[in-house]
Amino acid sequence: MTDRTDTGRWRGVVALSLFAGTVGLLAQRPAVLLLAAVGAGYAVYPRLVPSPPEPVVAVERTVSPASPDPGERVDVSVTVRNEADRWLPDVRIVDGVPALLPVVDGTPRRATALAPGGETTLEYAVEASEGKHRFRPVTVLSRNLAGAAERRATAAEPTVLDCGASVSATALRDLTSERAGELRSDVGGSGLEFHRAREYRQGDPMRQVDWRRFAKSGELGTIEYAEERSASVALCVDVGAGAGDRSAAEAVARCVGAADRLAGALVDANHEVGLASHGSPWYWLPPKPGSAHLAQLRRALDSHPAFVPGSAAGSADVPEPADGSDALGTEVPSGGILSPRADASASATGTSPEASAALSDGGRPVEDESSDRERGVGALRERLDSTTQVLLLSPLADDGVVDSVRTLEAAGNVVTVVSPGPGETDSVGTRLAAVERDARVRTLRRIGIPVVDWAPGENLENAIELTMGRSG
């Protein structure tokens, strides 16, 4: 049921009629009185017209291509169908175009009438930019014939535009788990790269015996190779900077898109991958391997309010998950961080803890964004085991991120930062922000944190290889 609101369209007519009637009576002018009578008729007319019908519509949105390159034109088609058995005499439709995608052809708006079962289609084009971009629900306004009242409804059609090239390399440090994988470890065993030579021990495999040493000295030795193991990685997406200007929102969109591509590369390399948000609302999905887990992680990036730039303010506009499931992980809206003990079982299964978890701060409202982040990092640290490393995707828009990295490193969870660089720096404010970000990059590198400085328009894989020294 939608709320009925008055548009105020006829309010001026009523005032004008009263004014004309008063002047006509005082001046005893019949023509002015006649004008007042006509105005009174128009004032009464909206009250005789039935209320606007409630819009019951179905929406279907298609985008082509769904995974464009940056700068490519994307055609969008939105079909709105009247599912009710009543006419909609005056319908205004506005599609929820992502704020970072400019409309380059056509219009996402339409004013029309819809018969029962009738439909209309909006066609327009947007220009793609790097990152994940989520369409908001379509807004439908239904007015009566007089235009004096309207009803508003929204119809959600989950649509995500993912713009960016896939990556095969990931930025990881030497912290591995016990599972076999593709990351070289410091543990000697049966890998491919030489690790060390030692004295022979009874039971060593014959294929690892150093026969050259035996031929020269008559002593048996064993060659160990570095075991290749998998890593447990938590992708942490800094979403707290998206509530600022357009440049900050673009950086967050690039972080979310990069998280998707890095997660795919990590799972392909047999690593365990998890997902967390750094900001409010807080989100947590424990690291696990496998394609099914990757699909769950990507659904969270596509549909969870935590991964929308400026999500703390705009979460109400985000459609529910496409499958209607709330089992995407753990969300804590502004107001506190869940007690790790209370929701430990829920985190393990990826289900919502709302029914049983208690707030560790007793429900005390979060005072500001920085304290919200501190609590989020504290909760993340308690959930990470000693072999899980953190891949933080952040625009490095404030000093609080640097403090978060220090906290995680001090807890033993090594951190690598992937930071999208600033876009347009055509104002004093954006230039100052870029200078401050460069200072934070230098600070992190000075304390030994690898930082992938990812410039706008640069291929992410190239930036990773350049930073991690894996090129060539």
Side-chain angles (χ1 to χ4, degrees):
M1 186 69 180
T2 57
D3 295 331
R4 179 185 185 279
T5 58
D6 293 329
T7 63
R9 169 183 286 185
W10 300 96
R11 193 169 302 160
V13 175
V14 175
L16 181 61
S17 299
L18 291 175
F19 176 75
T22 303
V23 173
L25 288 174
L26 294 176
Q28 295 185 353
R29 296 292 183 88
V32 179
L33 287 174
L34 179 60
L35 178 63
V38 173
Y42 276 104
V44 173
Y45 167 65
R47 302 180 182 279
L48 302 178
V49 177
S51 297
E54 182 177 0
V56 181
V57 298
V59 173
E60 181 179 358
R61 182 192 292 116
T62 60
V63 296
S64 179
S67 300
D69 295 326
E72 187 176 357
R73 171 192 169 108
V74 178
D75 294 320
V76 184
S77 176
V78 181
T79 299
V80 178
R81 184 172 59 257
N82 182 10
E83 296 284 291
D85 56 358
R86 295 182 57 184
W87 270 84
L88 298 177
D90 185 354
V91 182
R92 314 294 171 96
I93 303 168
V94 182
D95 193 16
V97 183
L100 301 179
L101 301 182
V103 177
V104 295
D105 189 17
T107 175
R109 300 170 179 270
R110 174 69 56 84
T112 185
L114 288 177
E119 64 182 34
T120 184
T121 300
L122 290 70
E123 293 181 337
Y124 60 96
V126 297
E127 181 179 326
S129 61
E130 180 90 32
K132 273 184 178 289
H133 306 278
R134 191 182 310 176
F135 282 78
R136 292 167 294 173
V138 176
T139 299
V140 179
L141 291 176
S142 173
R143 294 183 173 181
N144 59 5
L145 287 174
E150 66 184 18
R151 292 183 185 276
R152 176 188 294 264
T154 56
E157 171 67 13
T159 305
V160 176
L161 199 65
D162 190 2
C163 178
S166 61
V167 298
S168 58
T170 54
L172 296 181
R173 294 169 66 182
D174 296 333
L175 181 62
T176 61
S177 63
E178 296 296 327
R179 295 176 60 249
E182 296 186 358
L183 197 63
R184 185 185 185 279
S185 71
D186 293 330
V187 179
S190 56
L192 297 177
E193 294 186 40
F194 176 79
H195 177 63
R196 65 169 181 166
R198 59 169 173 79
E199 296 296 327
Y200 176 81
R201 299 170 190 163
Q202 188 175 6
D204 284 344
M206 295 302 291
R207 59 184 176 82
Q208 290 185 226
V209 172
D210 188 352
W211 295 109
R212 290 186 178 180
R213 177 181 176 182
F214 180 75
K216 290 181 179 179
S217 62
E219 297 178 354
L220 285 175
T222 299
I223 298 176
E224 288 188 345
Y225 298 91
E227 285 194 355
E228 293 175 338
R229 294 184 172 180
S230 68
S232 177
V233 185
L235 295 171
C236 187
V237 184
D238 181 9
V239 297
D245 56 17
R246 180 183 177 86
S247 178
E250 289 176 343
V252 174
R254 293 176 66 196
C255 286
V256 176
D260 184 300
R261 297 191 287 281
L262 290 171
L266 288 167
V267 171
D268 289 343
N270 198 29
H271 297 309
E272 297 178 345
V273 58
L275 180 64
S277 63
H278 186 45
S280 178
W282 196 71
Y283 177 88
W284 169 243
L285 185 67
K288 290 182 182 178
S291 57
H293 181 70
L294 176 63
Q296 183 181 5
L297 186 152
R298 283 176 164 161
R299 280 202 304 274
L301 290 172
D302 286 349
S303 60
H304 199 279
F307 302 104
V308 175
S311 56
S315 59
D317 293 332
V318 180
E320 294 298 324
D323 57 359
S325 171
D326 59 355
L328 292 175
T330 302
E331 174 193 354
V332 181
S334 295
I337 298 301
L338 289 175
S339 165
R341 296 181 182 85
D343 70 339
S345 59
S347 297
T349 58
T351 56
S352 172
E354 295 179 1
S356 60
L359 293 175
S360 60
D361 60 356
R364 181 167 54 87
V366 173
E367 297 174 354
D368 51 40
E369 179 65 21
S370 60
S371 62
D372 206 19
R373 284 186 169 190
E374 291 172 3
R375 297 178 187 211
V377 170
L380 176 62
R381 189 188 58 189
E382 293 181 33
R383 285 163 173 78
L384 296 176
D385 62 37
S386 58
T387 60
T388 299
Q389 56 180 292
V390 177
L391 190 52
L392 175 65
L393 299 108
S394 170
L396 297 177
D398 57 75
D399 293 334
V401 183
V402 178
D403 295 337
S404 299
V405 173
R406 292 179 188 271
T407 301
L408 292 170
E409 283 276 337
N413 299 108
V414 297
V415 181
T416 303
V417 178
V418 175
S419 179
E424 298 291 338
T425 54
D426 52 356
S427 66
V428 175
T430 54
R431 286 196 291 272
L432 177 60
V435 171
E436 293 176 341
R437 174 189 172 275
D438 291 342
R440 296 181 189 109
V441 171
R442 289 194 297 272
T443 299
L444 290 172
R445 286 176 173 168
R446 192 161 53 244
I447 60 176
I449 307 298
V451 180
V452 178
D453 193 356
W454 179 26
E458 183 181 15
N459 184 281
L460 176 59
E461 185 167 339
N462 292 342
I464 292 173
E465 290 179 343
L466 182 64
T467 301
M468 306 305 289
R470 297 175 182 173
S471 58

